[in-house]
Amino acid sequence: MKNLFILFVAVISLISLRSFVSEDYNGSTLLQKSKTAHIQFETTKHDFGTIQVGDDGSFEFKFKNTGKEPLIIQGVRTSCGCTIAKKPNAPVMPGKSDVIKVRYDTRRIGVFHKTITVTSNADNATVVLVIRGEVKPKPKEEAPVKPKSSFTPTSK
């Protein structure tokens, strides 16, 4: 009975695998491509490097829908309130591109490492984006020093 069960599981597995495999016109075997949306980012990490307080902390993560169905970004969630992320509202059609806009609050001095979690209807439904950098205070401005003059005024 145990051997019969193992044989049954093996046959079902082979049938399932066969449903994911097709043959091209040359008769060679190929895995079928997914018929869903697929989100592909140009990069998932951005390093601002060292920036000063008040500098621009904005970046756009560019992505493309490389799938076969419209891509719907369902949400973007940041790891803290110092980072704001904005997603496209309209579906991204197959072959088209769009951006996730991210802005870090550069009024906070120090090293930062933040994540932005993007959820969608894609086959890779969750993608984590990362921003990092260091915000330094602006250098203190020194009061201009008057040069000492060798001229001494005389009275009349």
Side-chain angles (χ1 to χ4, degrees):
M1 185 70 159
K2 186 177 180 181
N3 289 340
L4 184 60
F5 177 74
I6 292 173
L7 179 62
F8 176 74
V9 169
V11 169
I12 296 298
S13 297
L14 287 173
I15 291 171
S16 297
L17 180 60
R18 180 73 182 143
S19 68
F20 287 106
V21 174
S22 65
E23 293 182 5
D24 69 3
Y25 61 91
N26 290 328
S28 61
T29 303
L30 300 171
L31 287 177
Q32 290 179 347
K33 289 188 176 180
S34 172
K35 294 188 191 284
T36 62
H38 182 84
I39 188 167
Q40 183 174 352
F41 282 88
E42 286 183 6
T43 183
T44 57
K45 297 177 182 170
H46 178 69
D47 189 347
F48 284 97
T50 302
I51 56 178
Q52 291 185 350
V53 170
D55 282 355
D56 184 21
S58 300
F59 185 75
E60 292 184 347
F61 286 96
K62 296 175 185 168
F63 66 89
K64 184 175 186 176
N65 178 3
T66 59
K68 302 289 183 193
E69 295 293 324
L71 172 68
I72 300 169
I73 304 294
Q74 296 161 336
V76 288
R77 190 179 69 240
T78 60
S79 58
C80 83
C82 58
T83 308
I84 299 170
K86 187 173 183 207
K87 68 179 184 71
N89 292 325
V92 180
M93 296 314 207
K96 299 296 180 185
S97 298
D98 212 327
V99 295
I100 302 290
K101 296 178 182 179
V102 177
R103 181 169 156 72
Y104 179 74
D105 181 4
T106 59
R107 293 176 294 173
R108 298 171 183 241
I109 296 173
V111 175
F112 64 92
H113 182 271
K114 305 298 174 185
T115 60
I116 301 93
T117 304
V118 179
T119 54
S120 69
N121 68 328
D123 56 357
N124 54 336
T126 304
V127 178
V128 177
L129 308 174
V130 176
I131 59 170
R132 69 180 72 171
E134 182 177 6
V135 178
K136 295 244 181 183
K138 288 188 177 181
K140 293 182 179 179
E141 292 183 21
E142 295 182 22
V145 178
K146 283 188 169 183
K148 292 186 179 180
S149 172
S150 61
F151 175 75
T152 38
T154 57
S155 60
K156 289 188 177 182

